[in-house]
Amino acid sequence: MKLCFLVEELYRHDGMPLDVVRQLTSWGHQVDVVRPGGSLLRISEEVRAGTHDAWVLKTVSGGPGLALLEAAAAVGLTTVNDARSIRAVRDKVLTSIIARHHGLPVPVTYSAPRATLFADVPDELFPLVVKPADGSSGRGVRLVSDPGRLAEAEQAGEGQLIAQPYVSNPGSDLKVYCLAGEFHATVRRSPLHPDAPVDERAVPLPAEVAEAVAKVGEVFGLDLYGVDVVFGPDGPVIVDINDFPSFRQVPDAASRLAGAVLELARTGGANRKRAIAPAPRIPVQPQIPHGRPRPHPAAGPGPGPEADMVAAVPEGAQI
């Protein structure tokens, strides 16, 4: 296959997605890496040529790569993820509206151009989590204990902000990664508690979380994504959704992601139209040899460390 990776400047030296590019190349595929923010592009010809089987974007909020991905989709080319889906989760205001409309467990969300304007949020909803509406990777996220501390939360040049009631946690979040229907759960340090002693690791994925994360993929039309979850008194709460995350702590992440990209390039992102499986199964994680990825075996009993657990939904969407 011939693939085009759009890699924003922030990620030009990052292992993800460059490790994926190297893996695909080692399997014999041709991969062109385009840096939309750092190179001269003859964009009309790059897109109109239509010589790539799929376009893949590792983007930053507001970066130029998304426009190129949208252009590729507009002329009928396959993209991973869908450009409209990326835009929907990059704007956290839009994300919240769509998620709550579809019944996803997302906190009530307020939006304002300055942190001090959140003083009108009811006192009983404090502490608040305040963050940029176009933020990512935990940047700019802060916890405001009461309305009197909002002035301290002001930061210049952030643009639109969102605020949500804080869901108490022990210093860690559950980060769930989806690779074309295959789910991996990991414990990650919360950006709100950067000094908390957290053992970041892969963990088993609870069925109720798997169901919510699968619904995220259906609602937003995402194939490769990550979801941050914390557990509140009423169950899991989704606090963030990211397209093409780091996939940290996922076993053989580069091979798995490369396999997912190939599958999505072949199917045109068929997973966007899938129905949610009523009960995601949790098979034992197999070892992936060097070379082309293989399907997972059927679920079955057997011991294994937490890092060897994976949940996949639905049947046929695995790499």
Side-chain angles (χ1 to χ4, degrees):
M1 279 194 168
K2 184 179 179 182
L3 305 164
C4 182
F5 272 66
L6 299 167
V7 181
E8 303 274 16
E9 285 300 286
L10 180 64
Y11 303 109
R12 63 177 298 187
H13 301 299
D14 198 65
M16 191 64 68
L18 297 184
D19 288 345
V20 180
V21 170
R22 284 187 282 268
Q23 182 68 76
L24 289 165
T25 302
S26 73
W27 289 344
H29 301 280
Q30 180 180 337
V31 183
D32 295 327
V33 177
V34 174
R35 296 190 290 113
S39 57
L40 176 66
L41 304 175
R42 204 167 80 162
I43 57 174
S44 59
E45 303 310 313
E46 288 280 353
V47 175
R48 288 180 61 247
T51 59
H52 295 93
D53 294 292
W55 288 57
V56 185
L57 173 64
K58 178 64 172 176
T59 183
V60 294
S61 295
L66 185 53
L68 279 175
L69 198 74
E70 289 173 324
V75 298
L77 304 180
T78 297
T79 66
V80 181
N81 290 296
D82 184 272
R84 294 165 297 179
S85 303
I86 294 174
R87 195 171 290 281
V89 296
R90 283 288 166 170
D91 183 338
K92 303 305 181 186
V93 174
L94 183 58
T95 304
S96 173
I97 294 170
I98 294 172
R100 288 179 64 84
H101 175 74
H102 287 276
L104 287 165
V106 172
V108 60
T109 304
Y110 294 83
S111 178
R114 300 190 313 277
T116 52
L117 294 176
F118 293 126
D120 290 333
V121 173
D123 289 352
E124 61 269 21
L125 295 183
F126 280 79
L128 288 180
V129 177
V130 177
K131 55 187 174 181
D134 63 351
S136 62
S137 302
R139 288 186 288 269
V141 180
R142 58 268 200 193
L143 184 62
V144 182
S145 58
D146 59 71
R149 308 298 295 270
L150 285 168
E152 302 173 18
E154 290 280 5
Q155 296 183 18
E158 285 192 299
Q160 199 71 10
L161 302 170
I162 66 168
Q164 297 171 326
Y166 170 67
V167 181
S168 180
N169 65 73
S172 62
D173 301 339
L174 185 67
K175 182 83 171 189
V176 183
Y177 298 110
C178 178
L179 300 90
E182 178 185 298
F183 291 168
H184 293 262
T186 67
V187 171
R188 294 284 301 276
R189 181 176 287 102
S190 168
L192 298 172
H193 305 283
D195 299 322
V198 176
D199 178 17
E200 295 189 337
R201 66 197 189 281
V203 296
L205 177 60
E208 60 179 338
V209 177
E211 183 176 358
V213 173
K215 188 172 181 179
V216 167
E218 181 194 33
V219 166
F220 287 94
L222 291 164
D223 293 304
L224 303 176
Y225 61 99
V227 180
D228 292 354
V229 177
V230 294
F231 287 90
D234 299 319
V237 178
I238 294 172
V239 295
D240 202 9
I241 302 170
N242 306 109
D243 64 278
F244 208 131
S246 67
F247 298 99
R248 191 189 306 172
Q249 304 292 339
V250 173
D252 299 299
S255 294
R256 291 180 177 281
L257 189 50
V261 167
L262 292 176
E263 177 66 18
L264 294 170
R266 281 191 288 263
T267 63
N271 287 326
R272 298 170 194 149
K273 304 176 182 63
R274 68 182 183 270
I276 298 175
R281 63 188 183 88
I282 305 179
V284 174
Q285 172 71 54
Q287 294 294 320
I288 294 185
H290 295 294
R292 304 182 70 87
R294 299 178 181 177
H296 287 293
E306 290 183 338
D308 288 339
M309 301 299 290
V310 58
V313 298
E315 194 77 35
Q318 306 147 358
I319 63 171

